[in-house]
Structure formats: C-alpha cells, structure tokens
Amino acid sequence: MRLSLATVPATRATKPAYDPSALDIGVVHFGPGAFHRAHQAAYFDALAAADPRWGICGVSLHSTGVRDALTPQDGLYTLAILDAEISYRVIGAIREVLVGPEDVEAVFERLTRPSVGIVTSTVTEKGYCLGPDFTLDFQHADIVHDLANPQTPKSFIGYVAEGLRRRKQAGLKPFVLIPCDNLPKNGHRLKAAVVAFAARFDAGLADWIDAGLACPCTMVDSITPATDDALRARVADVTGLEDAWPIQREAFTQWVIEDHLHEGGPDWTRVGVILTDNVPAYERAKLRLLNGPHSTLAYAGLHKGYDSVSQAMDDAELAQTVRALMIEDVVPLLEAPKGLDLVAYSEDILTRFRNPAIVHKLSQIAWDGSQKLPIRILSSLSEALERGHDITRLALPLAAWMRFVRLKAVKAEAITDPLATDLIAIGLTCKDVVSDVGLFLALRSVFPEDLANNRTVIAAIEGAYTRLLAQEGVFA
Ligand code: CS2
C-alpha cells in the first residue's frame, strides 16, 4: 500500500498533527529537492498544527521526478531522522508540486495569490545565475532567454521577476523572498540580481522591488544524504507504507534568518528558527567550517578511495588534516556570531561528520566543485594570504579537485558541474604538475586573477598536487 492522505492513518511513522488537506498555500518553493524536503518543509510542517496558512507549492524548474513521485501520494512523504535510533515522520506541508515548463501559468497564479506571503528557494549555487563577482550574469543562457521571453521563464530569477511584476500590477505587496542555498549573503545577492533583471525591461518595477522586497539572508544546515533504494525499503518495512521518495537527514538542523520579515508571517521562533541581524557571521562560519571541510573530505577522500564522509573521517591522517584546517586555518579568520564558540562549533561538526548512522556519499558533495570551491575554500584562502598565514592545507582541496577532474576525464566518467565541458577538456590535457595547475588556475570563473597569479598560491597548489600524484603513482 502506498502512502497518501487515504492511507496515512495506517502508517507506523509519526503522522502530521494536522489535516494536510486543510492547509492553505502560503509558500511557493522553487527546487523541492531532498534538502528542501528535509529542512524547510519540516519547519513548515512543525508550524502547520498551530498555523495552517503555510502549506507549500513546490515548483521544479526542470525535472518531473518530484511531481511524479509526490502527486500520487497527495504530497506526503516520509522523513527518516538518522540518530542513534532512526525515527520516521510523515511530512504533510507540501500540498502540490508543479513543473515550471509544463505549468507556467499555474506557477504565476500561485505567485500572485494574496495568501502567498513567502517564496523560498533551494536551486543550488548555480541556480541563481550569478557570475564570479556574484552579480547577475547577463550572458547566462537562461537569463538571455528570460529577458526575451518573460512570460515563459527558465530561471528562478525570471520566475521571481515576472511574479513580482504581476503582483505589482494586481496591486499586491511583494512576497518575502527567502533563499536557502549555501551562498554567502544569499539574500542581498538574490535581491540585487532580481532588481538588475527587472531594470532591463521596467525601471519602475525595479524601483518597486528595490523599495519593497524583503529578501533576508539565511543560513541553512542539515546533512541530507541522497535517497537510495535501501532507504525506500527500510521506510516500507518500518512504516508499513510504500513511499516513492522518502527523505533522510541527520537529527541536527538549523535555520537562521535575517530579522526583517513581514508582519503577519509565521511565528518562526516557535519552531526553532533563529532570527538575528547577524546572519553573515553564521553563514560564513557554516560555509567555511562545514561546507569547506566537506568539499575537502570529498575530493581528498575520493582520492584515497573512500566512499562516504564517515569513512573518510576514519582515516586518521585525513581527519587530522581537516580538523587542523578548520581550527588552525579557518577559525582565526572568522568573527564568531554572538554566543557561538567557533572551536566547539568545529568539534561538533566533526562529530556530525563521524556519525556512522549516516552514509553521506563523497560523490554527492563533489558535485559542482567549480561553484562551491570559491565560496567554501578560496574565500578563506585569500583572507589567509592577506594576513600572511600559511595556506598549505587550504591548497589541498583545490589540488584534490584538480586530480578528481583529471581522473574523471581519463576514465571518461561524467562530471556534474556547469563547467563540465571545460573541465573534461582540461582533464584530458593534463600532463605535468606545473602545466596542470596552470590550466585549472586559468579558469577565470573559478579563480580570480589576483589569486591565480599569486606565486604563493601557485606554489601551495603545486605542492599539494605533487603530494597527491605521489600517492597515485598510476597517472603520473
Ligand atoms: C554539502 C552540503 O553537498 C554538499 O556540498 O556540503 O549539502 C551540506 O551537507 C549541507 O550544506 C549541510 O547543511
């Protein structure tokens, strides 16, 4: 029997403490992938019993997979929380899933409902269509398309701008726009991108958005390994109901939102959301002390033949390097958010990485390295350099990423990355340390010129690359 509103009374998981069918749509979420369903949807689910206004309409920009899995289940899915003991909870907050290219007018209808007060997004770093300077990339194919065809957009930015235009035309207030991706200053950058996009065709709209759109910065955190068949089988077994797409995550979860939300919005703090005026300090700490080490473990761990984060953490040398990178290299560069001890925060993250209940694939974290490394590693590296600190360890993830690309290219395996074509071409051209590192450093959308030409940086990456090559032997 499959999970749905009709069958949910039979589940052995914790059931929604409210009637999901009675929720109003108050949130439109772009990118209803695993992280959204593990994180924001669980918060809205916790809100729902006391406040039924915040049901979610998920919008997939490309794929039909989530819609096809969740629609027969009336939007319900099972969230497995991986702790010492695994607990299972049915989430009812997602009320419908639309697919942008198939349902474009329905998406705009939702975006212009007076009851829709919030638009959230998890579209990944690349989904914001920003250039290396984090401003809107007007050369981006989707942005070019959306400026020419604003009624049938492809990008998240295009949907938001047209949705806001229609709200303005209808005499409505803007919704609150809350990005939930691992991008520094995500709210400020998203708002600037939407305003820049609107300014290209309607200066009045751009001014209206600039003056009225609340787009808070956020920090989101919860480790969410991809769903696999083992999870599907476990969920069916334990809950008694089949679920085409259950989600799993660690027990730890954090959502920090900049404190300038609209009146009449949800009571965020009731469900554990932290509202603060200092999100940048939280997001910097998280991006550099969780995501940076994650990417380091991914590339250096795959290089050593490991499969998951906890396996890589069992390698004493690698674990020690990552810990030193966090505590000795990154912590001294950061300002601690009030009340947060960055060393204790780092130790807690290392404990989360070691959690044997979680099989978090290194290959999943290795996706989109060209987008992630500048945010997670180069930010620390350039500050360390300015202060004259040693950058030997910070060069490791960069060199390991280069070797990752090289070995993928040689094995003719696909790379998930918006720069995949360029990366494979470079990977196939690699021949020796100096020229390989030079080829990668010439990728201007990853490495800014000042870093790419800096002798200390070049030497540190070449050193790390040489050490990795020595471990490999094979392709040297
Ligand atoms: C990971 C993140 O896949 C990745 O790149 O570093 O998804 C990480 O698990 C989350 O940000 C944790 O909150």
Side-chain angles (χ1 to χ4, degrees), residues 35 125 182 220-224 250 286 290-291 294-295 352 360 364-367 372 376:
F35 187 72
E125 295 86 342
N182 290 316
V220 289
D221 191 6
S222 194
I223 289 173
T224 305
E250 64 176 338
K286 193 259 172 170
L290 188 146
N291 297 111
H294 242 179
S295 293
R352 291 165 62 196
H360 194 190
Q364 181 187 339
I365 302 168
W367 284 16
K372 292 175 177 172
R376 299 174 174 201

Side-chain angles (χ1 to χ4, degrees), residues 79-89 231 234-235 238 247-249 357-358:
L79 178 62
I81 298 183
L82 312 172
D83 215 349
E85 252 179 53
I86 305 179
S87 59
Y88 299 84
R89 166 176 161 199
L231 177 68
R234 208 157 6 99
V235 163
V238 175
I247 300 292
Q248 54 186 345
R249 68 153 162 85
I358 297 188

Side-chain angles (χ1 to χ4, degrees), residues 249-261:
R249 68 153 162 85
E250 64 176 338
F252 180 91
T253 179
Q254 200 171 39
W255 195 1
V256 183
I257 308 183
E258 209 172 8
D259 197 2
H260 58 71
L261 297 159

Side-chain angles (χ1 to χ4, degrees), residues 168-423:
K168 176 172 181 272
Q169 196 177 38
L172 294 169
K173 285 192 307 197
F175 36 70
V176 174
L177 183 58
I178 308 181
C180 301
D181 282 288
N182 290 316
L183 203 69
K185 301 195 193 130
N186 52 12
H188 301 166
R189 283 170 168 150
L190 171 57
K191 178 167 178 176
V194 175
V195 170
F197 183 92
R200 285 285 166 111
F201 59 88
D202 183 341
L205 174 65
D207 289 345
W208 183 79
I209 296 174
D210 199 22
L213 178 71
C215 190
C217 289
T218 67
M219 186 272 259
V220 289
D221 191 6
S222 194
I223 289 173
T224 305
T227 299
D228 54 14
D229 287 340
L231 177 68
R232 284 191 188 89
R234 208 157 6 99
V235 163
D237 193 37
V238 175
T239 70
L241 293 179
E242 308 216 327
D243 182 339
W245 206 331
I247 300 292
Q248 54 186 345
R249 68 153 162 85
E250 64 176 338
F252 180 91
T253 179
Q254 200 171 39
W255 195 1
V256 183
I257 308 183
E258 209 172 8
D259 197 2
H260 58 71
L261 297 159
H262 62 324
E263 272 174 38
D267 183 0
W268 297 97
T269 50
R270 238 185 126 253
V271 291
V273 173
I274 299 172
L275 298 179
T276 167
D277 56 6
N278 195 12
V279 174
Y282 278 97
E283 71 186 8
R284 260 196 304 275
K286 193 259 172 170
L287 287 168
R288 300 198 199 180
L289 289 172
L290 188 146
N291 297 111
H294 242 179
S295 293
T296 307
L297 284 165
Y299 299 118
L302 286 169
H303 189 264
K304 284 189 145 183
Y306 302 123
D307 191 51
S308 69
V309 173
S310 61
Q311 247 182 30
M313 286 295 293
D314 278 343
D315 180 303
E317 191 208 340
L318 194 49
Q320 168 52 31
T321 303
V322 168
R323 183 171 183 280
L325 181 139
M326 294 163 77
I327 292 172
E328 291 171 37
D329 300 343
V330 178
V331 166
L333 304 171
L334 298 174
E335 167 216 350
K338 210 164 138 235
L340 191 75
D341 173 340
L342 290 174
V343 173
Y345 180 68
S346 303
E347 297 290 7
D348 288 347
I349 288 171
L350 289 164
T351 305
R352 291 165 62 196
F353 286 173
R354 276 191 219 101
N355 186 347
I358 297 188
V359 182
H360 194 190
K361 297 267 192 198
L362 298 175
S363 55
Q364 181 187 339
I365 302 168
W367 284 16
D368 290 346
S370 73
Q371 310 289 300
K372 292 175 177 172
L373 288 171
I375 292 168
R376 299 174 174 201
I377 299 291
L378 294 181
S379 47
S380 294
L381 183 119
S382 61
E383 286 172 20
L385 209 59
E386 271 167 33
R387 299 189 194 192
H389 296 179
D390 183 69
I391 58 163
T392 308
R393 269 184 298 257
L394 286 164
L396 169 65
L398 304 172
W401 172 64
M402 294 172 186
R403 288 311 296 160
F404 165 82
V405 170
R406 160 66 174 162
L407 298 180
K408 285 278 185 195
V410 169
K411 292 186 210 156
E413 288 175 5
I415 296 180
T416 303
D417 194 297
L419 293 193
T421 312
D422 297 342
L423 294 177

Side-chain angles (χ1 to χ4, degrees), residues 69-215:
L70 293 195
T71 305
Q73 300 181 182
D74 303 313
L76 304 184
Y77 60 95
T78 318
L79 178 62
I81 298 183
L82 312 172
D83 215 349
E85 252 179 53
I86 305 179
S87 59
Y88 299 84
R89 166 176 161 199
V90 172
I91 302 288
I94 298 187
R95 298 316 321 129
E96 59 178 355
V97 180
L98 303 174
V99 175
E102 293 179 23
D103 303 314
V104 67
E105 276 310 313
V107 175
F108 286 129
E109 192 277 327
R110 304 303 183 273
L111 288 173
T112 47
R113 280 190 191 172
S115 54
V116 167
I118 298 173
V119 172
T120 49
S121 58
T122 47
V123 291
T124 80
E125 295 86 342
K126 61 183 176 244
Y128 295 87
C129 305
L130 307 179
D133 63 352
F134 295 107
T135 64
L136 187 65
D137 177 6
F138 282 103
Q139 317 295 322
H140 193 293
D142 290 353
I143 297 300
V144 173
H145 171 276
D146 291 359
L147 282 168
N149 307 278
Q151 310 297 320
T152 51
K154 288 188 176 172
S155 74
F156 167 56
I157 301 292
Y159 274 103
V160 168
E162 176 61 14
L164 287 168
R165 191 191 68 73
R166 294 189 190 199
R167 279 184 90 96
K168 176 172 181 272
Q169 196 177 38
L172 294 169
K173 285 192 307 197
F175 36 70
V176 174
L177 183 58
I178 308 181
C180 301
D181 282 288
N182 290 316
L183 203 69
K185 301 195 193 130
N186 52 12
H188 301 166
R189 283 170 168 150
L190 171 57
K191 178 167 178 176
V194 175
V195 170
F197 183 92
R200 285 285 166 111
F201 59 88
D202 183 341
L205 174 65
D207 289 345
W208 183 79
I209 296 174
D210 199 22
L213 178 71
C215 190

